[in-house]
Amino acid sequence: MSRTTPMSPAPLVMLVAPLLPIAWQGGAPVYLPQSPAALACFAVSLGALLLRGTVRGSLAEAVLLLAGVVAAFAAPVLLIGQGLALAQAPGVWVHLAGGVLLLWRVLALVAPLDGAGRLAGPALFGLALVALWEILTRGFEVPAVLLPPPSAILAALAANAADLWDDFRQTVLKSVLRGYLIGCGAGFAVAILADRVPALARGLLPLGNLASAIPVVGIAPIMVMWFGFDWQSKAAVIVVMTFFPMLINTLAGLSSAERIQLDLMRSYGAGYWRTLVLLRLPSALPFLFNGLKINSTLALIGAIVAEFFGTPVVGMGFRISTQVARMNLDVVWASIAVAALTGSLLYGALALAERRATSWHPSFRKR
Amino acid sequence: MTTDPADTLAGRYGPVAAMALAVLVLWYGGALWLNGPQAAEALTRSGTGWGTADLIRQAFAMKRPVLPTPDQVAVDLWNSLTGHPVTSIRNLLYHTAVTAGSALTGFAMGVVLGVALAAGIVQVRTLESSLLPWIIASQTIPILAIAPMIVVILGNMGFTGLLPKAVISMYLCFFPITVGMVKGLRSADPLALDLMRTYSATTRQTFRLLRLPAALPFLFASLKIAVAASVVGAIVGELPTGGQAGLGARLLSGSYYGQTVQIWSALVMSAVLSVALVAAVGAAERLFVRAGRGGAR
């Protein structure tokens, strides 16, 4: 890997911008020199692009280019703010495209960073994605029923905070956490049992494959019929969903210890349980975490799906299904944002715990 | 070393048969337990005296049981498969074919997208650091929540019918394929990679001759997960469309009208469909991955 690859000339596409209309005002095209704000943004982008050769070091270059990227994203926002129509103005979009291509270069420059800089790439990528979403939906005047801009979703989040918090409590704290813990715990316990009785494992595995093939959507109405509308039925769906992935992953993990290590344990005269705790469970940790991570997203989806088939009048699934029917898409997207954030945090916490636990794993022999 | 019990016929199928039998016994027991109160009520209403045998018979033959017995489900399946022509809306095979169509379309799209993303992530360093976290985050969005919107958006663009459902299937499918392929493409032996560099192979040659073959076992393991997920996606996609056809539509209508037997036969059918598709992927794996390279299992 060479330290810096030469930059592609693609961002120079923005040089076309001054020749094209950048906005429309009352049926007349507006060109770059007529709008001081857009002109200033364009000058910054172009300046960053042309002065690239004067700075030393990839970090300085990244910061300089980032200024150009921000300017390219700011231009359409400023123009929309002035109440101009951008839907048929190729100039401003060419400028934006140049900005996106510049961003690609910035991402390439920050990719080798480590430490806190490791988060720079994904963070910039995500921010750019949200900014593009905002600019494109407002620039092309996409109807809010199709896709509201992020600013409208944020406003809905703030306006409905109390409702969304109640939904979060009902869906995540009551249904998901309980179902997840019971399901993963039961899967883990049965895997240990099946490990003791190999015949049980051979009987359970095909059943596990069959159960993983049954769409959970199908058991949701049955569970609602059996356990009623409250969190119990959602937790039951999650238990059924999460049980088999955990079982299969735990069984795979338990068989991952190496023959030679098992022989060593045996030559020390370690019994089944001691071998399990000291060798096989630690070596199964990556598999266990894999199961836990898969299940964290499954559990959230399962709870929301189950809520479509009947809930008390609270919960994320209830909120989404009723607001879709009322065409309040901003509230729906706010609910989805809460769900996505929750899922990402769960997954991230597990990934962090995994890094801690499995980095500890080779060192446990030194004790 | 004696023969491994897993190698004998009884050792291999005995546990599975025992497990199946246990499930059946549990199922009948559960049916008796869940349908019992209703059955007793019905018998009491009929006014004649009744014993345990009557109660069991009644619990196993209800019109709308809380939990239908396996034989009720089997009879309902048989009737719906043989009682009507295959093109009829009342035939379950017709619904299965509709679901399988959108599931396979979505699966094909998901394979293309997943492999392309994985190849990009492995080959382009910029993508790896910035894209992978967002691919993971994309899976935390509850798909059923955006399913109605996908259907609405695509419907407004003039796409109706199979495509919206296939898009939902694709969304569920591409993730396991991407993750598995990233792992697989990186699983090439470092020694072999060095050898490629010694031969001054281009990146593309290394990819085609070394990384891709090394990734095949991982790809097929992911494909099995993905094909099951694509069936789930197709069924979920049939819920908000108010689908007139498909297994999802059968589940929803059964749920609305309290036709429990219909729910269960649709469930069994979707499980059969998934298992058949997973088995087909397994057969393809045995065809493409040479023995000894170690596929899944």
Side-chain angles (χ1 to χ4, degrees):
Chain A
M1 204 62 198
S2 58
R3 222 178 53 76
T4 46
T5 46
M7 182 172 165
S8 84
L12 289 171
V13 72
M14 66 171 71
L15 287 175
V16 194
L19 310 175
L20 300 166
I22 54 159
W24 290 81
Q25 195 168 19
V30 179
Y31 286 89
L32 204 53
Q34 293 162 286
S35 165
L39 190 61
C41 289
F42 185 72
V44 172
S45 292
L46 202 61
L49 193 54
L50 297 177
L51 292 175
R52 202 175 62 82
T54 62
V55 290
R56 296 223 159 267
S58 60
L59 197 60
E61 187 187 340
V63 171
L64 176 71
L65 290 180
L66 201 55
V69 175
V70 171
F73 277 84
V77 175
L78 293 171
L79 290 170
I80 293 169
Q82 290 170 4
L84 304 174
L86 304 187
Q88 277 137 27
V92 75
W93 300 120
V94 169
H95 183 190
L96 184 64
V100 171
L101 291 165
L102 266 185
L103 179 73
W104 176 257
R105 172 69 181 170
V106 174
L107 289 177
L109 288 171
V110 298
L113 293 179
D114 41 14
R118 258 182 339 116
L119 296 175
L124 285 176
F125 188 89
L127 276 175
L129 217 57
V130 173
L132 272 180
W133 175 1
E134 176 83 17
I135 292 165
L136 293 177
T137 46
R138 288 177 59 190
F140 288 102
E141 287 151 25
V142 177
V145 172
L146 281 189
L147 191 64
S151 52
I153 295 170
L154 272 177
L157 255 176
N160 299 284
D163 273 351
L164 291 173
W165 170 244
D166 286 344
D167 294 342
F168 178 83
R169 270 219 320 248
Q170 167 74 21
T171 303
V172 178
L173 302 185
K174 283 186 182 166
S175 324
V176 171
L177 279 184
R178 287 167 188 175
Y180 180 75
L181 291 175
I182 297 170
C184 291
F188 180 77
V190 172
I192 301 279
L193 191 69
D195 183 61
R196 281 298 269 171
V197 189
L200 183 66
R202 279 202 297 280
L204 271 176
L205 273 178
L207 196 71
N209 291 332
L210 193 72
S212 66
I214 295 181
V216 64
V217 187
I219 55 169
I222 294 166
M223 291 296 162
V224 170
M225 219 179 284
W226 288 2
F227 294 98
F229 282 161
D230 208 357
W231 63 266
Q232 292 87 343
S233 60
K234 319 302 176 278
V237 171
I238 295 167
V239 168
V240 174
M241 272 180 100
T242 53
F243 175 79
F244 283 105
M246 196 64 202
L247 172 78
I248 289 167
N249 270 295
T250 310
L251 279 177
L254 286 175
S255 62
S256 72
E258 286 185 29
R259 189 79 251 172
I260 196 161
Q261 297 170 320
L262 289 168
D263 286 346
L264 182 68
M265 288 307 261
R266 211 163 142 196
S267 60
Y268 285 151
Y272 172 84
W273 291 108
R274 188 164 257 204
T275 310
L276 186 75
V277 172
L278 290 180
L279 167 65
R280 297 174 71 210
L281 280 184
S283 76
L285 274 178
F287 291 85
L288 292 182
F289 274 108
N290 188 31
L292 288 172
K293 283 197 293 198
I294 292 172
N295 280 346
S296 72
T297 51
L298 274 183
L300 200 63
I301 292 172
I304 291 175
V305 170
E307 283 177 349
F308 277 67
F309 287 91
T311 53
V313 286
V314 65
M316 291 176 180
F318 166 82
R319 187 79 45 210
I320 289 168
S321 54
T322 49
Q323 299 294 356
V324 163
R326 290 190 200 154
M327 284 291 172
N328 290 340
L329 278 247
D330 50 351
V331 183
V332 173
W333 278 97
S335 236
I336 290 172
V338 171
L341 196 66
T342 310
S344 303
L345 285 177
L346 270 176
Y347 193 98
L350 283 167
L352 206 67
E354 174 178 31
R355 193 169 293 167
R356 293 256 161 117
T358 42
S359 70
W360 165 87
H361 159 216
S363 64
F364 79 98
R365 285 175 301 197
K366 288 182 189 154
R367 282 190 315 173
Chain B
M1 189 84 191
T2 52
T3 51
D4 185 21
D7 291 340
T8 62
L9 201 66
R12 182 173 308 174
Y13 294 108
V16 181
M19 195 56 70
L21 200 67
V23 168
L24 276 182
V25 168
L26 275 176
W27 192 337
Y28 275 107
L32 184 59
W33 178 54
L34 286 163
N35 301 335
Q38 270 184 305
E41 206 174 295
L43 283 170
T44 315
R45 263 206 312 270
S46 68
T48 50
W50 48 275
T52 318
D54 295 323
L55 178 70
I56 292 176
R57 207 170 309 127
Q58 180 73 17
F60 287 169
M62 313 226 5
K63 204 103 194 95
R64 289 187 179 180
V66 181
L67 174 60
T69 59
D71 60 89
Q72 278 178 307
V73 175
V75 166
D76 184 65
L77 264 176
W78 180 250
N79 286 345
S80 89
L81 293 181
T82 58
H84 311 281
V86 174
T87 50
S88 152
I89 191 101
R90 304 183 67 114
N91 189 318
L92 206 53
L93 259 188
Y94 165 77
H95 293 288
T96 312
V98 170
T99 302
S102 41
L104 285 175
T105 313
F107 177 66
M109 285 163 27
V111 170
V112 172
L113 179 66
V115 172
L117 280 174
I121 285 169
V122 170
Q123 294 292 343
V124 185
R125 198 152 168 213
T126 312
L127 274 180
E128 176 204 338
S129 59
S130 49
L131 189 63
L132 203 52
W134 293 101
I135 289 182
I136 291 167
S138 79
Q139 292 305 301
T140 61
I141 296 176
I143 180 66
L144 195 65
I146 55 173
M149 276 176 275
I150 290 178
V151 172
V152 169
I153 292 172
L154 288 175
N156 280 14
M157 291 178 179
F159 297 112
T160 47
L162 184 113
L163 195 76
K165 293 191 287 182
V167 166
I168 293 161
S169 278
M170 178 189 82
Y171 188 91
L172 283 180
C173 252
F174 87 94
F175 179 69
I177 296 173
T178 305
V179 171
M181 273 306 269
V182 167
K183 204 172 236 175
L185 289 170
R186 286 194 184 142
S187 71
D189 185 4
L191 279 176
L193 278 170
D194 285 345
L195 185 65
M196 284 304 225
R197 193 169 305 149
T198 317
Y199 288 150
S200 67
T202 60
T203 318
R204 196 167 299 172
Q205 283 172 318
T206 310
F207 189 83
R208 197 165 48 89
L209 295 170
L210 176 61
R211 287 187 188 274
L212 264 187
L216 275 187
F218 290 86
L219 173 66
F220 277 105
S222 311
L223 285 184
K224 282 180 194 166
I225 299 169
V227 85
S230 78
V231 175
V232 176
I235 289 175
V236 170
E238 279 155 4
L239 293 178
T241 50
Q244 294 308 301
L247 292 171
R250 295 286 283 183
L251 282 175
L252 204 61
S253 63
S255 167
Y256 280 160
Y257 302 116
Q259 300 285 352
T260 31
V261 182
Q262 183 188 318
I263 297 181
W264 279 88
S265 47
L267 258 187
V268 169
M269 207 63 206
S270 55
V272 167
L273 174 65
S274 290
V275 170
L277 291 177
V278 172
V281 173
E285 177 182 28
R286 278 190 292 282
L287 213 69
F288 285 111
V289 182
R290 286 203 304 278
R293 289 293 299 276
R297 287 262 174 276

